[in-house]
Amino acid sequence: MAGRSDMTNAEDLAVCHRLLSGGSKSFRAASLLLPARIADPAAALYAFCRVADDEIDEAAATQEALAGLYRRLDDIYAGRPQAHAADRAFAGVVTAFGIPRVLPEALLEGFAWDAEGRHYRDLAALEDYAARVAATVGAMMTLLMGVRDPVAMARACDLGVAMQLTNIARDVGEDARNGRLYLPLDWMRQEGVNPAEFLADPVFTPALGRVVQRLLDAADALYARSEQGIPLLPRDCRAGIGAARHVYAEIGRAVERQGLDSVSRRATVSGRRKAWLLARSMAALALRPATEAAPPLPATRFLVDAVSATPAPQDRAAPQRLPDRIAWAVELFDRLDHDPGQFAR
């Protein structure tokens, strides 16, 4: 993308940046850890996601709201976005970065699943959900970096799913008190935990802790797979993505250190620990691609295939050199101690 004016106008971008600054702190942190050239398109992406999520959350009829958002996507992809700053800005990003419609459409579907209060019978079903609400964002952020390689895309999706599984493991109690349950139902029943009874009275037990541990183990396997994709990113993006990978995985370690009890307390990672992990993420610059790449997860293959089938835009900016923003990022992560949030929520 040659410049901001090619994507959208300054007024629309200002609205998007205000939504970002007043919304997800962790999404903002993730975007600001990346090169400056990504800041505007990331804000436009977040703004559309935020507006869409709010539309579904606040709607009296989920399916009616979803149909309205699909119509907005129709107009965005037809090049005639509706009179919303977020729609106009996102339309510019779609064109500039060649984002296939399948990605934002799947994200909207995930928002609808949330609004419906879906439960997930097993890990595969939970990965289907995580593919929509998290891997879609990872895939779109990868496109903002100018990367379309299918292996890199598969690994970005792995990272998104891993982060979502970590969020779920950390927020079991908070979600349950809000009437939501994301833990795989078959795992709960195998441990003798009745899902309905747990929702009615969320109390931690060692049996529930074993379910949380299984979820963290599944996330860790995906974090390890995701590292295959970091060397395939532009050099000035690797440290930021490495930081996200290590900080989120550490949330899982924090859950483990508190005895896997994420019902009565919420795990956090100290600022000092985040600083160490951020420094460790610089090692991502030295990683080498794996000789044999793992295939995409079954849950995310449709996202990877959609990107592969979509032609790349012709006008791409050359990657900038990695800025020296480590000290700033440490301070930012430290401020997130009390509200880690979610990457894409």
Side-chain angles (χ1 to χ4, degrees):
M1 191 175 65
R4 186 175 71 179
S5 62
D6 290 344
M7 183 181 70
T8 189
N9 64 53
E11 291 79 10
D12 289 344
L13 279 174
V15 172
C16 294
H17 280 288
R18 284 196 295 273
L19 283 169
L20 178 56
S21 63
S24 169
K25 294 184 177 71
S26 54
F27 191 99
R28 182 170 182 266
S31 66
L32 290 174
L33 276 170
L34 294 170
R37 70 179 187 279
I38 296 177
D40 283 349
L45 168 59
Y46 173 80
F48 182 78
C49 295
R50 167 73 181 276
V51 169
D53 195 14
D54 288 348
E55 286 274 337
I56 291 176
D57 274 350
E58 297 166 8
T62 298
Q63 290 305 315
E64 183 178 329
L66 188 60
L69 286 167
Y70 285 157
R71 287 192 294 273
R72 287 170 69 170
L73 274 183
D74 288 340
D75 292 340
I76 285 169
Y77 277 84
R80 51 172 191 274
Q82 295 182 20
H84 301 273
D87 289 38
R88 289 191 296 264
F90 187 55
V93 170
V94 162
T95 299
F97 295 93
I99 296 177
R101 177 180 171 138
V102 169
L103 273 60
E105 195 169 73
L107 179 65
L108 296 183
E109 186 179 28
F111 290 161
W113 290 6
D114 259 337
E116 294 165 4
R118 283 200 186 196
H119 295 166
Y120 302 95
R121 64 184 180 278
D122 53 25
L123 179 62
L126 184 59
E127 288 175 342
D128 285 340
Y129 164 71
R132 284 158 176 78
V133 298
T136 51
V137 177
M140 287 189 279
M141 288 295 291
T142 303
L143 292 174
L144 300 192
M145 298 176 210
V147 175
R148 309 184 77 84
D149 178 86
V151 175
M153 196 59 57
R155 300 294 77 83
C157 291
D158 287 344
L159 182 58
V161 173
M163 288 176 162
Q164 189 63 29
L165 297 185
T166 298
N167 284 333
I168 291 167
R170 179 195 62 198
D171 296 338
V172 173
E174 180 181 335
D175 286 336
R177 288 184 286 273
N178 289 322
R180 293 183 173 183
L181 180 64
Y182 296 97
L183 297 175
L185 300 182
D186 62 344
W187 289 2
M188 295 183 76
R189 293 184 178 117
Q190 288 165 18
E191 292 292 347
V193 180
N194 183 292
E197 291 176 1
F198 173 74
L199 265 180
D201 183 22
V203 175
F204 175 74
T205 63
L208 187 72
R210 290 191 289 272
V211 176
V212 171
Q213 183 67 72
R214 288 181 72 176
L215 197 60
L216 291 175
D217 291 345
D220 286 340
L222 291 173
Y223 284 125
R225 278 166 50 113
S226 74
E227 290 191 347
Q228 296 178 357
I230 293 177
L232 302 175
L233 302 177
R235 183 169 290 272
D236 59 350
C237 296
R238 296 175 195 171
I241 298 304
R245 174 256 185 272
H246 288 295
V247 169
Y248 256 81
E250 183 63 19
I251 294 171
R253 307 292 77 76
V255 172
E256 291 170 345
R257 286 193 291 272
Q258 63 188 38
L260 299 167
D261 180 4
S262 53
V263 177
S264 60
R265 52 195 296 201
R266 195 175 195 265
T268 60
V269 180
S270 71
R272 178 175 295 183
R273 184 69 175 167
K274 287 171 183 170
W276 182 85
L277 291 165
L278 200 59
R280 180 181 173 187
S281 74
M282 295 299 290
L285 299 175
L287 289 174
R288 296 288 181 269
T291 54
E292 274 192 47
L297 282 175
T300 63
R301 181 177 290 278
F302 77 108
L303 302 174
V304 177
D305 290 347
V307 172
S308 296
T310 303
Q314 296 302 309
D315 185 13
R316 305 303 309 157
Q320 301 170 357
R321 296 180 61 191
L322 175 66
D324 181 13
R325 51 171 58 88
I326 297 300
W328 171 88
V330 169
E331 179 183 355
L332 178 61
F333 274 122
D334 195 34
R335 291 201 300 269
L336 296 181
D337 269 343
H338 300 296
D339 186 15
Q342 293 186 25
F343 181 73
R345 182 177 289 180

